[in-house]
């Protein structure tokens, strides 16, 4: 599945279809500039404009789910988002999703 199809798949599952989404693949150096830390991804979003910009070093299904979960559950901690990511990835591996 292409990256864009993966993003569309997960926007649909998470009910984020009304958002326009841009996926940016960046280098580790650019990521460090972006947020001072070597995360795998960062997600910038605007609820008013219904806009999501996902910047990732390696666009795997896992990183895409993780970043979109930040938009879906905006008040969740990083820890909670990561736990949910793991849960969804288990469903993917089981073939449920
Ligand atoms: Zn995160």
């Amino acid at each position: 599945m292409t990256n864009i199809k993966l993003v569309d798949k997960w926007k649909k599952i998470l009910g984020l279809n009304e958002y326009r989404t841009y996926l940016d693949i960046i280098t580790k150096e650019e990521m460090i500039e972006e947020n001072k830390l070597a995360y795998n991804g960062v997600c910038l979003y605007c609820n008013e404009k219904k806009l999501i910009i996902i910047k990732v070093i390696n666009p795997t299904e896992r990183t895409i789910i993780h970043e979109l979960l930040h938009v879906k559950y905006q008040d969740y901690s990083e820890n909670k988002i990561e736990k949910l990511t793991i849960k969804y990835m288990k469903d993917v591996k089981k073939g449920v999703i």
Side-chain angles (χ1 to χ4, degrees), residues 1-86:
M1 207 180 284
T2 65
N3 298 328
I4 295 302
K5 279 193 178 154
L6 269 180
V7 170
D8 285 345
K9 171 186 167 183
W10 284 96
K11 273 167 71 180
K12 202 170 178 185
I13 291 167
L14 298 174
L16 298 169
N17 270 334
E18 73 272 30
Y19 283 82
R20 275 178 299 135
T21 317
Y22 296 93
L23 183 67
D24 233 358
I25 296 158
I26 63 175
T27 64
K28 191 169 184 175
E29 289 68 35
E30 287 170 321
M31 183 65 72
I32 292 166
E33 269 173 45
E34 192 75 41
N35 59 27
K36 311 277 188 284
L37 288 164
Y39 291 130
N40 288 319
V42 64
C43 188
L44 312 166
Y45 52 85
C46 176
N47 294 322
E48 290 72 32
K49 291 180 182 164
K50 296 282 179 233
L51 178 68
I52 304 171
I53 300 168
I54 299 172
K55 296 184 180 192
V56 291
I57 296 170
N58 182 19
T60 61
E61 186 158 22
R62 192 187 198 290
T63 49
I64 288 168
I65 296 169
H66 182 100
E67 298 312 325
L68 287 175
L69 280 169
H70 275 298
V71 183
K72 175 78 178 174
Y73 301 108
Q74 298 180 5
D75 55 339
Y76 279 21
S77 66
E78 183 60 30
N79 194 27
K80 223 167 165 181
I81 294 290
E82 190 49 29
K83 278 185 183 154
L84 258 181
T85 307
I86 291 164

